[in-house]
């Protein structure tokens, strides 16, 4: 049984790939300006419409910023997890997946991240992690600060795992599963429990104990899922939709 032929890539996508390859080849960094349009038209041997489609695509991916006006043009940016979060949200929405999908993914991913962080996290990131734990404790009466520090804590561990994939995946998952956006409330007693869990995880990572770090994180995520299932089952059962982000 023959498989369906692959659709050829659009010229604009191929040009976008060449632009990214040239950014890497030249060693461009954030803030660098790319060549003007007339130079790029000659270099890539395409029409103005195709080039502009390529640049718009790269802007949507966070690779460049198209600055309008005199002296404007494409400027190199640092991509973040926003595009990944959008792509995942659309894939999950069209699969009719509930928010529980994200919670279950975190259950599998985050203990491994904590294990790696215990082995690889730098002293600088450890200090950031401690700062997050302390700041959450000092502002347990402020749910906005709590939510910010909750996300920051998990971000630091993800990026401190030494695995870039984990960093971007967790950024994307937390972008989709934002408790304040989907209706999960954290009363102060729950915030205090989360702080204690974060402190335990921090101490295990700071002790460079991979097994204890993984176990502490698994307990923390499991407690979160059980809390959400008990108090907000309708939230976890709700379908993921793009406008929740």
């Amino acid at each position: 049984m023959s498989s369906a032929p692959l659709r050829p890539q659009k010229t604009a996508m191929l040009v976008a790939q060449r632009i990214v390859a040239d950014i890497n080849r030249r060693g461009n960094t954030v803030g660098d300006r790319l060549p003007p349009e007339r130079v790029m038209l000659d270099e890539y041997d395409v029409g103005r419409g195709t080039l502009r489609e390529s640049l718009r695509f790269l802007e949507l991916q966070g690779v460049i910023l198209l600055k309008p006006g005199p002296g404007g043009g494409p400027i190199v940016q640092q991509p973040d997890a926003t595009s990944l979060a959008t792509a995942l949200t659309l894939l999950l929405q069209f699969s009719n997946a509930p928010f529980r999908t994200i919670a279950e993914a975190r259950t599998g991913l985050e203990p491994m991240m904590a294990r790696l962080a215990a082995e690889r996290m730098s002293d600088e990131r450890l200090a950031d992690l401690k700062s997050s734990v302390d700041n959450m404790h000092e502002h347990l009466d402020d749910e906005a600060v709590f939510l910010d520090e909750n996300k920051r804590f998990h971000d630091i561990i993800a990026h401190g795992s030494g695995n870039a994939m984990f960093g971007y995946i967790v950024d994307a998952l937390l972008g989709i599963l934002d408790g304040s956006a989907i209706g999960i409330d954290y009363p102060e007693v729950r915030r205090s429990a989360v702080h204690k869990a974060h402190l335990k995880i921090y101490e295990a990572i700071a002790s460079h104990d991979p097994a204890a770090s993984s176990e502490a994180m698994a307990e923390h995520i499991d407690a979160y899922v059980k809390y959400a299932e008990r108090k907000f089952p309708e939230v976890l059962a709700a379908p993921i939709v793009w406008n929740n982000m």
Side-chain angles (χ1 to χ4, degrees), residues 118 126 200-210 212-213:
L126 269 174
K200 183 177 180 180
I201 294 165
Y202 162 75
E203 289 174 344
I205 291 174
S207 297
H208 304 290
D209 187 332
S213 300

Side-chain angles (χ1 to χ4, degrees), residues 3-222:
S3 58
L6 294 174
R7 264 177 63 188
Q9 286 188 291
K10 290 182 63 175
T11 301
M13 186 66 71
L14 296 173
V15 172
Q17 292 171 355
R18 291 179 62 191
I19 293 171
V20 170
D22 287 341
I23 289 173
N24 288 334
R25 177 180 56 79
R26 289 190 299 262
N28 290 131
T29 57
V30 173
D32 286 351
R33 195 181 305 277
L34 296 187
E37 184 178 83
R38 56 182 173 75
V39 173
M40 297 177 83
L41 288 172
D42 289 339
E43 185 171 354
Y44 300 118
D45 192 25
V46 293
R48 182 173 283 106
T50 298
L51 176 62
R52 290 181 175 177
E53 184 180 349
S54 302
L55 294 173
R56 282 194 296 271
F57 172 78
L58 292 178
E59 185 175 41
L60 284 172
Q61 302 307 310
V63 175
I64 62 171
L65 171 68
L66 293 174
K67 186 177 179 182
I75 298 171
V76 177
Q77 301 292 294
Q78 174 64 50
D80 58 25
T82 302
S83 295
L84 176 59
T86 299
L88 282 174
T89 301
L90 289 171
L91 287 169
L92 293 169
Q93 177 172 342
F94 280 86
S95 297
N96 298 312
F99 276 101
R100 182 178 291 103
T101 306
I102 306 299
E104 290 173 352
R106 291 184 64 192
T107 299
L109 287 172
E110 298 214 40
M112 173 59 74
M113 289 179 350
R115 174 181 292 274
L116 292 176
E119 298 172 345
R120 302 174 178 177
M121 186 175 284
S122 67
D123 290 342
E124 183 180 358
R125 285 196 190 273
L126 269 174
D128 287 343
L129 196 63
K130 181 65 161 58
S131 170
S132 174
V133 173
D134 291 345
N135 198 43
M136 177 181 282
H137 185 253
E138 291 169 9
H139 298 88
L140 284 177
D141 59 342
D142 188 328
E143 187 171 19
V145 174
F146 167 83
L147 290 172
D148 286 344
E149 290 301 342
N150 191 39
K151 182 178 187 302
R152 181 182 166 215
F153 180 85
H154 290 275
D155 278 345
I156 293 169
I157 293 175
H159 289 282
S161 71
N163 185 309
M165 178 71 77
F166 279 143
Y168 289 119
I169 287 176
V170 167
D171 281 348
L173 295 183
L174 293 177
I176 299 169
L177 190 63
D178 181 343
S180 64
I182 66 171
I184 294 179
D185 184 43
Y186 294 89
E188 192 163 344
V189 64
R190 180 61 195 152
R191 288 176 233 158
S192 180
V194 169
H195 169 261
K196 289 178 182 176
H198 281 198
L199 180 60
K200 183 177 180 180
I201 294 165
Y202 162 75
E203 289 174 344
I205 291 174
S207 297
H208 304 290
D209 187 332
S213 300
S214 176
E215 183 180 351
M217 181 64 82
E219 290 174 356
H220 173 45
I221 300 297
D222 183 61

